[in-house]
Amino acid sequence: ALLSLGSIIRRPYLASPHVSVATISEVNYEAMREKCGIKAIIFDKDNTLTAPYENTIHPLASSGLESAIQTFGRSNVAILSNSAGTADDPGYEDATEIEKAMNIQVIRHDEKKPGGLKEVMDHFGTDVITEPSQLCMVGDRLLTDIVFGNLYGMLTVHTLPLCSGKENKKDNKIANVIRTVENKALYANWVGGRAVRKRTLEHKVWKGEEDCSLILVDVDDGDATEEKKGGEEN
């Protein structure tokens, strides 16, 4: 964890995603598979697939998850959470409940994001994934999900949190505050944010939206931008 923190301090552009969308349902998974060399998808769970600490797919994420499964196959779509499937989950009870409720595998890992590459690679196996650039990491947290993916050369997709207001009442309060700060720092129109975004790391195969569009629906410039800058209202 300390090594990862040091990497972020030295290279803040690790937190800059290749693609930014409002929800996972705006992602072109077929283009990822056909043109970007991606063979498997890793999703964060809370506020990416579901409301916080719920095991039901959020309506805004349902079509995206279905598309990912249809494109890559259910065995090549998995959840990487910093709670379920970790040492904080005794007997992996939460992970097991999620798998039963959502029919998606939860990766077991001792090291939390932005660590945990070995467990991820072991989960998919070398018959599917031979190098991290064949993976896509999708999540709503810049300093965990996106840094994890970028550290190891994955394709990274950042989403806005699915929930706000009362719907987000179960969210971890500290994580909520940090997420808001992250999004303001990267997306707000200031010199630091612009400098970081300009240094977004290149993916081994995908060279940008102009070369291969991975966004099915453009994020609304008004609501989405304000959400990124200001976070959720509680």
Side-chain angles (χ1 to χ4, degrees):
L2 289 176
L3 186 61
S4 297
L5 178 61
S7 296
I8 298 168
I9 293 173
R10 293 192 304 273
R11 298 181 290 166
Y13 49 84
L14 285 170
S16 183
H18 297 111
V19 178
S20 298
V21 292
T23 75
I24 68 167
S25 297
E26 296 182 358
V27 178
N28 188 336
Y29 298 99
E30 186 173 348
M32 271 189 193
R33 183 191 64 189
E34 298 298 329
K35 299 181 179 180
C36 303
I38 302 301
K39 297 183 178 180
I41 303 287
I42 310 163
F43 288 108
D44 178 48
K45 177 184 171 290
D46 291 338
N47 259 322
T48 300
L49 293 175
T50 71
Y53 302 102
E54 297 288 343
N55 292 343
T56 303
I57 302 294
H58 193 281
L60 294 176
S62 60
S63 64
L65 180 60
E66 181 180 355
S67 177
I69 292 171
Q70 289 178 347
T71 301
F72 294 97
R74 191 172 296 276
S75 63
N76 294 324
V77 175
I79 290 172
L80 185 67
S81 167
N82 267 0
S83 52
T86 71
D88 294 340
D89 180 12
Y92 301 131
E93 291 181 3
D94 288 344
T96 301
E97 288 183 10
I98 291 167
E99 289 174 334
K100 290 179 179 178
M102 300 176 62
N103 199 18
I104 309 170
Q105 297 178 7
V106 177
I107 298 172
R108 274 56 166 175
H109 58 114
D110 293 331
E111 189 177 3
K112 294 186 178 183
K113 294 173 289 187
L117 177 66
K118 182 181 183 302
E119 290 97 330
V120 169
M121 297 295 287
D122 289 346
H123 172 85
F124 290 108
T126 54
D127 56 327
V128 176
I129 302 298
T130 58
E131 58 180 86
S133 65
Q134 296 169 332
L135 293 166
C136 177
M137 179 70 222
V138 184
D140 70 304
R141 291 293 311 279
L142 294 170
L143 293 183
T144 55
D145 303 320
I146 302 308
V147 169
F148 168 68
N150 283 338
L151 267 173
Y152 302 110
M154 301 176 194
L155 187 66
T156 53
V157 177
H158 182 240
T159 69
L160 298 178
L162 284 170
C163 304
S164 61
K166 293 182 179 179
E167 192 180 25
N168 204 42
K169 63 183 179 181
K170 291 185 180 180
D171 196 14
N172 181 290
K173 301 304 180 185
I174 295 175
N176 188 21
V177 171
I178 294 174
R179 183 196 299 115
T180 300
V181 173
E182 291 172 359
N183 289 348
K184 281 186 176 181
L186 183 65
Y187 293 112
N189 188 23
W190 70 293
V191 61
R194 292 194 299 271
V196 169
R197 294 195 301 271
K198 285 181 179 179
R199 298 190 66 188
T200 301
L201 294 172
E202 285 191 4
H203 182 256
K204 182 177 181 179
V205 179
W206 185 76
K207 300 306 179 185
E209 276 294 297
E210 292 184 0
D211 179 63
C212 173
S213 179
L214 296 180
I215 302 176
L216 291 175
V217 180
D218 290 335
V219 176
D220 180 82
D221 290 337
D223 294 342
T225 302
E226 289 305 313
E227 185 90 21
K228 285 176 179 176
K229 291 180 180 180
E232 312 99 305
E233 293 182 4
N234 293 294

